[in-house]
Amino acid sequence: MVRGLVRALDGVTFSVNHGEHTVILGPNGAGKSSLIRLLALDDYPIAVGDPVPRVRWFGRDRWNVGELRRRLGIVSGELDAGFARASRRGRVSGLDAVTAGFFASHALFAHHVVTDLMRRDAADALGRVESASLGVKMLSEMSAGERRRVLIARALVTRPEALLLDEPTAGLDLVARHRFMESVRRLARDGTTVMLVTHHADEIIPEIRRVLLLDRGRLVRDGSPAETLTGESLGALYGAPVSVERAAGYYAVRVDPSPG
């Protein structure tokens, strides 16, 4: 995949099975944003040659995007920014924002036909991320962490089979980040397949069973957390000597001081 004059992705091939919670980890400039846009079908691969590049979800490579959104929940900074814009244009409650997920929009509009069942499902989705009280709160009055939990509820409102998370804790403080990732853990344990794209190793929840390391548009490692989240692998990925520690199932990466 080429963006402008830069080859953003080159020969990236992988598949994820149902229930195989996976993280794609890489530094800034690794190609994560380009990959997310491909996975979300915001961009499409175009190339000459064989095999023709494809993005296949649930065994299909041709989708009505609205139909795919009902089976694939997405949480991204781009969606969060859309929420912020919607809240500036008018008063949008948490429940309305989640209900808007049925229409793949940031808010409810006059042409949307909202049923009582949709409202109940939206309230249930907020409950699944332990945020029922946010249903009556306005987006403009929420903290970044609260708004991010509403985003997850919105992604879950159609009960998707998989959840794609793009840098999900960006802008959150330490406590909000922990609470958010614990919500993701519960979803993983409840059977939603989680795919996480990040450059923060400390976002890798204990339920993750597979790690893909992305560097300059290429997949350089693919294996279990024990195989990939090592000082040697991550030091090569980030270009600095690092140490890796694990506590309570989470990983912490520390840059080692340079000699002298």
Side-chain angles (χ1 to χ4, degrees):
M1 178 180 178
V2 177
R3 299 181 70 90
L5 299 177
V6 178
R7 187 180 293 274
L9 297 171
D10 188 2
V12 174
T13 301
F14 65 92
S15 61
V16 176
N17 296 320
H18 177 73
E20 187 178 33
H21 307 308
T22 300
V23 65
I24 300 169
L25 181 69
N28 292 331
K32 298 188 303 298
S33 296
S34 296
L35 181 59
I36 279 288
R37 291 190 62 82
L38 283 176
L39 293 176
L41 300 189
D42 291 325
D43 288 340
Y44 291 84
I46 299 176
V48 176
D50 186 43
V52 176
R54 300 181 187 277
V55 177
R56 179 172 293 167
W57 281 106
F58 312 113
R60 291 169 49 187
D61 55 15
R62 292 181 179 273
W63 284 94
N64 173 295
V65 176
E67 182 186 357
L68 178 62
R69 291 292 184 269
R70 288 190 286 274
R71 298 184 65 180
L72 172 67
I74 299 175
V75 177
S76 69
E78 187 173 327
L79 280 172
D80 198 6
F83 265 24
R85 289 192 297 271
S87 66
R88 288 194 294 269
R89 288 195 297 266
R91 292 177 61 79
V92 181
S93 71
L95 187 64
D96 283 349
V98 175
T99 306
F102 285 107
F103 308 100
S105 66
H106 295 116
L108 294 176
F109 298 97
H111 66 279
H112 289 149
V113 179
V114 180
T115 66
D116 290 340
L117 179 59
M118 288 179 178
R119 291 286 190 185
R120 287 196 296 271
D121 285 346
D124 180 65
L126 282 167
R128 291 180 67 190
V129 295
E130 298 187 346
S131 301
S133 63
L134 296 180
V136 296
K137 193 170 184 178
M138 298 297 116
L139 288 180
S140 57
E141 299 168 356
M142 293 183 190
S143 68
E146 289 173 334
R147 197 167 63 243
R148 206 63 56 86
R149 291 200 297 276
V150 169
L151 264 179
I152 283 197
R154 177 187 183 276
L156 295 174
V157 74
T158 57
R159 297 190 176 275
E161 298 167 47
L163 187 63
L164 180 62
L165 304 172
D166 175 23
E167 305 284 1
T169 66
L172 302 187
D173 63 32
L174 184 65
V175 173
R177 173 184 289 191
H178 178 74
R179 289 175 177 168
F180 182 90
M181 296 314 298
E182 287 296 299
S183 295
V184 175
R185 292 191 66 185
R186 286 190 292 273
L187 298 173
R189 292 193 295 264
D190 288 345
T192 302
T193 301
V194 172
M195 289 185 63
L196 169 65
V197 181
T198 184
H199 62 265
H200 293 297
D202 58 0
E203 290 182 349
I204 299 176
I205 58 176
E207 286 71 21
I208 291 292
R209 294 293 177 263
R210 184 178 176 197
V211 179
L212 307 177
L213 300 184
L214 187 66
D215 186 23
R216 286 169 287 188
R218 290 180 173 271
L219 285 178
V220 295
R221 291 292 299 274
D222 180 353
S224 69
E227 294 168 333
T228 55
L229 300 179
T230 66
E232 180 181 2
S233 292
L234 296 184
L237 185 69
Y238 288 96
V242 301
S243 299
V244 181
E245 299 177 354
R246 190 179 184 188
Y250 283 90
Y251 288 84
V253 179
R254 182 187 67 196
V255 179
D256 294 335
S258 301

